[in-house]
Amino acid sequence: MRNSFFSSFCAPLLLMAVSLQQSNSVFAADKLSTDKLGTSHPDIDYHHKRITRMMGEMHFHQHHIFPSTEEHLRDYHADRHILQQATAKHAETVKLWSAKLSPVAPVVASRGWFSWGSSKASPTSPAASPAGKSSILEDSFIHVDSASVASRPPRPVPPATANSNPFRFNDGEFLMFPLSGGGGRGLIELVCLTKLYKETNTPLVNYADFIGGTSFGGLAALGLSITDEQGYPLFVEPDMESYFRAHFGEIFPDKNRTNYVMKLWNEATSLVYTMYDAKPYETLLKNTFKERTMADSATNVMALAVDTATDKPVLLSNFLHGASLASDTARVTSAAPGYIGSFDMPNVGRLVDGGLYHNDPSLDMLWQLRDLAIKNNRGFSLDKVTALSFGTGIRPVNPIPANGGLLRVAAPVIEACIRSQEAGTEMTMRSLLSPDKYKRLNPKLEWAIPLDQMTPEIASALTTAAETQFGIIEEFAASEVIRKRLEIVGGTR
């Protein structure tokens, strides 16, 4: 029985841990190789950046096994393959890479576990898969099977910044993508965005006129829209999902919930103080966005917040707050009261989470889009607006107690306010736009998932909920408006 337990449970986990540890050695060699390239070739820089990010993500996954571990390895090897194709054009670079290639690497097996593989293939000949087994990677270093490479969308083309050209397309259509708030439940949005990315074969920022969000939705909108020094978006959709999975624990550390005494203490003190220290989150945002400003956006972008001095909404956008740091904007739009404190944004004021006003920013984006179009003489009309709205799931109703005191009704009342606001916004949007021009992705959740928790079980539940919306995404991606816009930007459908 002991042998049975080891073979069925311990052995796969041990093999996964050993393989991931070996992956770290491979990633370290990659980093050493790429750090020595000393070139500013855009293809090399782009895929070098993605590989560096994946190194950190895979280190995280040694301790937090999420369902996307296999996908991270696949993306890593695919990008490494593309990077080697780019470096093959430079003789000196090829020599550097050849010196660092290791003969041993992990191979992702078709069943999702990891296995050892000794790569003896040359850069020009694919490695043979073991008899009776199919692997995602033909060769663990040089080759990726053709289907895997073909399925990866091309890297994004850096468009002109939105401030210099608010509307890049002359097709008369206006495409906007609102993203609701919801903390960890935002994983639903990211899974849906990744699905849309795969359906259109191009990043959202390449064909959207306006991307905006509240709270976590605002953070995601900024991550997909703000560009780096070379003009490329900081994240494409799968990268944004990986970023979220890898860094969620830095926003809402789970150590406060693993110790029962500490949990009780934090629940008691949360009645007076915020539950989480904002410093780690602010550091994460600084490291992510660096000194990039709202003006460094590839398309029009907006994040919603509320001014604590006036209780009025503040719509932070590239065309109204171009000089503001993107990291500050991300900080204030996601400053959920009770969880993370408010933030004093330079030249704007002390702001807090925009969910206090509109957790679903669709209507705010609609009238901002109208004003921007009129200002730029673009002839705005509602029948030319197409919107795909992303929600973070509909939780089961927590009824407001009939005779409850303040402590008992506080949480149900907040939930009711957010739920009714989102429902009202959706009804209004459906009355303004035609059914084929407005879609809302907001699946029902089977249980009340807190916004500050993330476990493998929660991640799986959110992913499953998101997958129920894939049919709507496929229909949207196949619509005539999207098809024509993709023809302009070079996407495929």
Side-chain angles (χ1 to χ4, degrees):
M1 183 172 180
R2 180 179 300 176
N3 291 337
S4 176
F5 175 78
F6 180 83
S7 61
S8 63
F9 182 75
C10 297
L13 289 181
L14 179 61
L15 184 58
M16 177 182 288
V18 172
S19 297
L20 283 174
Q21 184 63 40
Q22 189 189 30
S23 298
N24 272 356
S25 300
V26 173
F27 295 151
D30 282 346
K31 189 176 191 304
L32 182 59
S33 300
T34 51
D35 286 346
K36 289 184 177 181
L37 293 181
T39 176
S40 60
H41 190 282
D43 284 336
I44 295 175
D45 291 344
Y46 174 74
H47 293 286
H48 179 195
K49 180 183 294 183
R50 280 179 56 91
I51 286 175
T52 302
R53 184 180 301 145
M54 289 174 195
M55 293 179 202
E57 290 165 5
M58 289 306 301
H59 175 74
F60 173 85
H61 282 288
Q62 285 183 279
H63 308 284
H64 301 74
I65 304 299
F66 280 124
S68 63
T69 304
E70 178 180 334
E71 183 176 348
H72 286 175
L73 277 175
R74 183 189 297 111
D75 285 348
Y76 165 79
H77 285 287
D79 273 284
R80 195 176 192 281
H81 172 75
I82 297 171
L83 177 57
Q84 286 188 327
Q85 286 184 326
T87 57
K89 301 176 183 178
H90 307 277
E92 293 298 321
T93 304
V94 171
K95 291 179 181 178
L96 283 172
W97 274 99
S98 298
K100 295 298 179 183
L101 290 181
S102 167
V104 181
V107 177
V108 183
S110 59
R111 289 183 177 271
W113 294 107
F114 301 93
S115 62
W116 294 92
S118 179
S119 170
K120 297 181 180 180
S122 68
T124 57
S125 63
S129 298
K133 295 183 180 180
S134 61
S135 64
I136 293 175
L137 305 178
E138 290 181 355
D139 177 271
S140 52
F141 262 49
I142 305 298
H143 291 277
V144 179
D145 69 71
S146 57
S148 175
V149 174
S151 67
R152 289 183 59 78
R155 70 187 180 94
V157 177
T161 59
N163 279 10
S164 62
N165 187 18
F167 295 102
R168 297 167 286 155
F169 308 103
N170 295 315
D171 55 2
E173 299 288 340
F174 301 95
L175 273 60
M176 69 178 216
F177 298 85
L179 298 138
S180 298
R185 297 190 296 273
L187 180 60
I188 292 175
E189 296 178 318
L190 296 179
V191 172
C192 288
L193 282 165
T194 298
K195 171 64 175 177
L196 180 62
Y197 172 79
K198 293 176 180 177
E199 287 295 314
T200 59
N201 205 43
T202 192
L204 182 64
V205 72
N206 278 8
Y207 59 92
D209 292 303
F210 202 2
I211 306 174
T214 299
S215 194
F216 170 76
L219 170 61
L222 292 168
L224 297 174
S225 303
I226 301 300
T227 61
D228 60 17
E229 293 81 358
Q230 296 180 348
Y232 295 100
L234 294 175
F235 298 96
V236 291
E237 287 81 345
D239 292 338
M240 192 72 214
E241 181 182 343
S242 300
Y243 171 89
F244 175 78
R245 290 177 184 270
H247 295 289
F248 183 84
E250 296 176 46
I251 307 172
F252 300 119
D254 62 0
K255 62 181 180 180
N256 294 341
R257 290 186 292 274
T258 56
N259 184 295
Y260 184 73
V261 175
M262 183 63 71
K263 178 181 178 181
L264 291 177
W265 171 256
N266 281 303
E267 288 180 352
T269 57
S270 66
L271 297 175
V272 181
Y273 305 103
T274 55
M275 294 177 62
Y276 300 97
D277 180 7
K279 293 299 181 183
Y281 182 39
E282 292 171 3
T283 300
L284 173 65
L285 294 176
K286 285 289 185 183
N287 292 337
T288 300
F289 293 101
K290 297 182 172 60
E291 296 301 314
R292 308 305 288 171
T293 67
M294 293 294 286
D296 296 315
S297 56
T299 191
N300 298 302
V301 63
M302 184 273 291
L304 194 59
V306 171
D307 191 328
T308 59
T310 63
D311 290 339
K312 292 182 178 181
V314 180
L315 280 63
L316 301 161
S317 65
N318 60 295
F319 44 88
L320 295 177
H321 302 86
S324 296
L325 290 175
S327 58
D328 289 348
T329 304
R331 171 66 174 84
V332 297
T333 190
S334 55
Y339 293 90
I340 299 176
S342 59
F343 184 78
D344 193 0
M345 189 169 179
N347 303 316
V348 181
R350 179 159 287 276
L351 307 181
V352 73
D353 196 310
L356 293 180
Y357 171 60
H358 279 164
N359 200 55
D360 176 359
S362 296
L363 289 173
D364 306 284
M365 291 179 64
L366 185 61
W367 70 257
Q368 275 203 328
L369 186 64
R370 178 203 63 186
D371 289 355
L372 188 63
I374 292 175
K375 181 180 178 181
N376 287 271
N377 301 314
R378 293 303 296 259
F380 181 86
S381 65
L382 288 174
D383 63 341
K384 294 295 184 181
V385 176
T386 298
L388 181 61
S389 177
F390 294 79
T392 57
I394 303 172
R395 301 203 302 173
V397 174
N398 183 10
I400 300 174
N403 298 301
L406 290 177
L407 289 179
R408 289 184 60 201
V409 303
V413 165
I414 292 173
E415 290 182 22
C417 289
I418 293 176
R419 188 192 304 272
S420 59
Q421 180 274 311
E422 287 190 332
T425 296
E426 182 176 349
M427 288 189 293
T428 304
M429 290 294 293
R430 292 191 185 280
S431 70
L432 293 174
L433 305 182
S434 61
D436 62 322
K437 290 294 190 76
Y438 174 76
K439 305 292 182 182
R440 171 77 168 162
L441 307 173
N442 202 26
K444 290 184 178 180
L445 301 177
E446 295 184 1
W447 49 291
I449 298 176
L451 63 82
D452 63 333
Q453 294 184 27
M454 185 62 66
T455 64
E457 292 77 17
I458 290 177
S460 177
L462 294 173
T463 301
T464 300
E467 290 171 350
T468 65
Q469 308 297 293
F470 281 7
I472 301 175
I473 296 172
E474 292 168 0
E475 179 184 348
F476 179 84
S479 65
E480 184 178 2
V481 172
I482 299 300
R483 180 181 59 79
K484 290 183 177 180
R485 183 62 66 87
L486 293 177
E487 289 176 355
I488 297 174
V489 301
T492 59
R493 172 61 196 177

